[in-house]
Amino acid sequence: MSLEKIRIRLTYDIWRRLLARYGPVVLQNKPVVLDCGSGPGRLLGLMEEWFPQTTLYGLDIDYTVISQARQASPGINYLVASAETLPFPEKTVDILVTLHMVEHLPEPEHFFREASRVLRPEGILALATPNPQGIGARIMKDKWSGWCLEHVSLNSPETWERMLTKHGFSVLEHGT
């Protein structure tokens, strides 16, 4: 296994552990997993291995990365679409993952409304976004990688939690 594959596996292993901790009931019955902002599908490729009983969907607005993902993982369903208008019927997704995507949305609440619409009542939303109040931002100050033009919605953990609660979510855990 290449050093790059080991690095990717270690980077994403936290999500395997979190889903195993919070999703045993959801993961039992061939769950539907949607990765919004899936990019080249690295996480989904690992999820295909970790949770082989799942139906996996990757969604990204960038046609080029979706084309690359389809070639790399033909067993995964990839869609070119916006996370603000998810192309799924109501209450059909068991696990919705979005890693470093919401900070790119001018109106992240549109995504949270859609996530609430498509997730089943016992569903899980797993989310990661840069923390402008975190230790990295405090140490690096204006050199922190989170400060970039593409990040149009950088919020404190408390602000994200208020948005999530407004759309019916309960925060089970947060950290850095």
Side-chain angles (χ1 to χ4, degrees):
M1 184 180 298
S2 74
L3 223 47
E4 178 62 13
K5 285 189 178 186
I6 292 170
R7 185 191 66 76
I8 289 168
R9 185 174 291 277
L10 290 172
T11 299
Y12 289 119
D13 190 61
I14 188 171
W15 300 103
R16 180 193 58 77
R17 288 182 278 132
L18 284 169
L19 291 174
R21 182 180 324 143
Y22 292 113
V25 172
V26 174
L27 288 167
Q28 285 176 10
N29 301 315
K30 193 161 173 66
V32 173
V33 176
L34 170 61
D35 183 1
C36 284
S38 65
R42 288 185 187 110
L43 175 62
L44 288 171
L46 289 169
M47 289 183 82
E48 188 175 35
E49 177 186 324
W50 294 332
F51 309 113
Q53 75 282 14
T54 57
T55 301
L56 299 170
Y57 289 90
L59 180 139
D60 204 290
I61 201 160
D62 187 328
Y63 178 80
T64 303
V65 297
I66 289 295
S67 295
Q68 294 166 352
R70 283 179 179 146
Q71 289 176 351
S73 301
I76 298 171
N77 306 290
Y78 285 101
L79 307 164
V80 177
S82 169
E84 294 171 309
T85 52
L86 296 172
F88 289 83
E90 288 185 20
K91 312 297 181 215
T92 56
V93 174
D94 297 292
I95 299 171
L96 197 161
V97 178
T98 182
L99 307 182
H100 296 279
M101 187 273 301
V102 294
E103 67 272 12
H104 295 269
L105 301 174
E107 298 289 338
E109 289 200 55
H110 293 201
F111 166 71
F112 294 137
R113 183 176 21 227
E114 281 292 281
S116 179
R117 181 184 68 76
V118 303
L119 275 169
R120 293 196 171 121
E122 69 282 357
I124 295 169
L125 172 62
L127 169 100
T129 187
N131 181 358
Q133 295 178 344
I135 191 165
R138 290 194 312 263
I139 290 171
M140 298 301 292
K141 300 190 184 333
D142 62 340
K143 291 182 173 55
W144 178 56
S145 62
W147 303 123
C148 65
L149 294 176
E150 294 85 20
H151 292 172
V152 295
S153 293
L154 283 175
N155 294 300
S156 68
E158 296 77 21
T159 300
W160 288 118
E161 191 165 342
R162 276 194 301 277
M163 279 190 236
L164 288 162
T165 302
K166 177 181 173 183
H167 293 283
F169 293 100
S170 300
V171 176
L172 301 175
E173 183 174 329
H174 61 77
T176 60

